[in-house]
Amino acid sequence: MLLLGTGCQMAASGYNVAGVRSVEEGQPQVAITQFQKARNHDPTNPDAYYNLAATYHQMAKQTNDRTLMHQAEQLYNQCLDLDPNHTECYRGLAVLLIDTQRNDSAFTLMERWEQRSPQLADPKIELARLYQEYGDKENAKNQLNQALAVDANNARAWAALGSLREQSGELGQALANYQRSYQLNSLDAGVGTRIATLQRQGIQSEVPMAPNSGTQMAQGANNRQRY
């Protein structure tokens, strides 16, 4: 049974990869077939449900099809039933709720996730993203500081804080935050681009501020690398 389960998971992963490729190539119907095969091979694979949900969601927005939007919402929820900490799924469902004029429900979704999983940085980062999109920079910054208090080596949190500081005109701090993020995850081309842009403007990096405080972090802080 263990070998069978592993085989199903491997097959599901292959179908998921093929489906994502089809989405990138602009073939959503082909992608749906691949994601359905992934789900059939492994009905407990949350990524298959998420990928189906995201594809239906994209199609619903393009065609203004309420039935597809409803299917997408159901699939997002099924994904979260299987993986209660599926970050991409939470983000997708929050966007869907906003797309369907349920902004308060989107915030409630993220707030409840953060309350259920206080030890994780991702819920705080995603809640900060919502606050930032709605112009509440102070609460966004508070959430990111809390995320870094939980995981000081979270590249996404540092990048998000850099974006927030850049929007606020704190360019030296923004550059420092981006650089810290890039040290932790050099594969993020977007962060690399922001660093290069700020440096071309002659911005000098400042020592990043410690999470939840107004003091500066020591240059030689011994932090564990997450990625």
Side-chain angles (χ1 to χ4, degrees):
M1 289 297 292
L2 178 60
L3 289 175
L4 177 61
T6 302
C8 288
Q9 290 171 3
M10 291 177 65
S13 178
Y15 286 126
N16 275 322
V17 170
V20 170
R21 189 180 304 117
S22 294
V23 170
E24 293 171 347
E25 293 172 352
Q27 303 179 70
Q29 292 294 349
V30 175
I32 286 171
T33 299
Q34 296 295 332
F35 297 143
Q36 287 173 337
K37 288 180 179 178
R39 183 179 59 177
N40 291 340
H41 273 78
D42 183 6
T44 63
N45 186 299
D47 289 341
Y49 290 87
Y50 164 72
N51 287 330
L52 273 171
T55 306
Y56 280 129
H57 187 182
Q58 182 181 24
M59 292 170 62
K61 291 172 70 173
Q62 292 172 346
T63 61
N64 197 28
D65 189 318
R66 293 185 179 181
T67 300
L68 286 178
M69 193 70 81
H70 180 66
Q71 285 181 278
E73 184 171 350
Q74 287 183 316
L75 287 162
Y76 280 135
N77 281 306
Q78 287 176 288
C79 170
L80 292 177
D81 287 340
L82 293 168
D83 181 358
N85 290 310
H86 197 293
T87 300
E88 292 80 7
C89 193
Y90 270 105
R91 186 184 308 142
L93 181 53
V95 171
L96 184 147
L97 291 169
I98 291 170
D99 287 341
T100 52
Q101 289 76 52
R102 289 176 285 171
N103 300 359
D104 289 346
S105 296
F107 276 96
T108 299
L109 174 74
M110 292 301 186
E111 288 165 353
R112 288 179 177 172
W113 181 26
E114 195 275 336
Q115 291 165 5
R116 285 195 304 270
S117 302
Q119 77 284 4
L120 298 180
D122 279 351
K124 305 177 197 307
I125 296 170
E126 295 303 322
L127 186 53
R129 181 198 298 263
L130 272 183
Y131 278 126
Q132 184 175 2
E133 288 178 358
Y134 281 86
D136 190 344
K137 295 180 180 179
E138 195 59 36
N139 269 323
K141 186 183 295 184
N142 288 339
Q143 287 296 324
L144 291 173
N145 280 331
Q146 290 179 40
L148 288 168
V150 168
D151 179 6
N153 288 334
N154 190 295
R156 290 183 61 233
W158 282 113
L161 191 57
S163 173
L164 196 62
R165 292 192 185 282
E166 186 176 3
Q167 286 185 7
S168 300
E170 303 171 71
L171 300 185
Q173 278 290 314
L175 179 56
N177 294 156
Y178 285 139
Q179 288 173 330
R180 180 62 181 140
S181 175
Y182 200 70
Q183 287 173 354
L184 295 163
N185 179 18
S186 60
L187 299 179
D188 192 329
V191 171
T193 298
R194 296 316 307 152
I195 291 171
T197 298
L198 290 173
Q199 288 179 332
R200 281 197 299 269
Q201 295 173 12
I203 303 301
Q204 299 294 315
S205 177
E206 299 178 9
V207 179
M209 306 297 284
N212 287 330
S213 78
T215 59
Q216 293 183 324
M217 296 177 66
Q219 292 275 16
N222 183 22
N223 294 322
R224 292 177 298 158
Q225 187 163 329
R226 183 180 179 184
Y227 298 104

